[in-house]
Amino acid sequence: MRRRGRHGLLFLDGHTDFYQPSAEPNGEAASMELALATGRGPAVLTDLEGRGPLLQDEDVVAFAYRDEPESTEAGMQPLPPALHAMDLNQVRAMGIEAATSQALAHLSTPFWTHLDADVLHDTVMPAVDYRTPDGLTWPELDHVLTAALTDPRCRGLDITIFNPHLDPTGTITTRLTSSLHSALSTITAHR
């Protein structure tokens, strides 16, 4: 998408993943992805093909994250003021419908949707590599995914950190698949 010009990102993740390499406790790029995508870190990762950052801060919405106390204590840099941040508490205070509408209204360019399975409540989504208490419910995720993916500006979706080995019965896999199928099948009806 960066090759085609400016675009946005709806970042549905339980964590902001905004560590710079010097602050990330384990050296995991997965904890730095939003920082790297917005140009913070070594040039080999932030200036791909000489195109500068993949995303401008103002074109990103971080939605329903809940790691701020932990990441602050670990030394993660704060999110930049221009990046539209809506933590789980704000999403809950607004209600999922209003919060989703605000998030999508903020994205004025074509956008990509990033879904990390750990955005879901830990009790319904334990099949992730780094668990954090609380999170979105299945109906809340269903709503935001359907709204995002049926938005004509949405260009794609990636799904990360779902670990099927942590779902021995397949129950969680079935529910996640159902959520994705429902949102994706709605696209045809809206386009």
Side-chain angles (χ1 to χ4, degrees):
M1 286 183 69
R2 181 65 182 100
R3 289 176 183 158
R4 295 181 180 181
R6 190 167 173 173
H7 62 281
L9 175 66
L10 178 60
F11 194 76
L12 307 173
D13 202 311
H15 307 90
T16 50
D17 296 335
F18 207 73
Y19 285 94
Q20 285 190 340
S22 60
E24 207 292 317
N26 300 310
E28 296 175 344
S31 297
M32 303 177 225
E33 63 199 56
L34 190 53
L36 295 172
T38 57
R40 292 157 178 93
V44 69
L45 298 173
T46 61
D47 191 18
L48 301 174
E49 299 178 349
R51 296 177 189 275
L54 296 176
L55 299 159
Q56 300 299 314
D57 293 344
E58 59 271 20
D59 296 331
V60 177
V61 176
F63 191 89
Y65 63 92
R66 58 190 189 278
D67 69 327
E68 190 169 8
E70 175 189 346
S71 60
T72 300
E73 183 179 319
M76 186 184 83
Q77 66 209 20
L79 293 175
L83 192 148
H84 193 68
M86 301 176 73
D87 68 13
L88 182 63
N89 291 332
Q90 183 179 356
V91 169
R92 288 271 164 73
M94 294 179 73
I96 193 64
E97 292 174 4
T100 300
S101 292
Q102 181 178 328
L104 294 177
H106 183 80
L107 295 166
S108 60
T109 60
F111 67 90
W112 188 267
T113 300
H114 163 81
L115 170 62
D116 187 323
D118 68 19
V119 77
L120 281 158
H121 199 288
D122 186 55
T123 59
V124 300
M125 181 47 77
V128 295
D129 296 329
Y130 192 82
R131 295 174 67 174
T132 304
D134 209 354
L136 294 178
T137 63
W138 284 113
E140 288 171 330
L141 178 65
D142 292 344
H143 177 79
V144 70
L145 266 184
T146 299
L149 298 181
T150 57
D151 187 302
R153 298 168 300 150
C154 185
R155 298 295 186 258
L157 166 73
D158 70 88
I159 305 158
T160 62
I161 314 299
F162 175 71
N163 187 339
H165 295 291
L166 299 175
D167 179 26
T169 66
T171 307
I172 302 166
T173 303
T174 300
R175 181 57 180 95
L176 180 59
T177 302
S178 173
S179 185
L180 293 166
H181 180 266
S182 177
L184 291 168
S185 64
T186 308
I187 294 172
T188 306
H190 282 81
R191 290 193 181 165

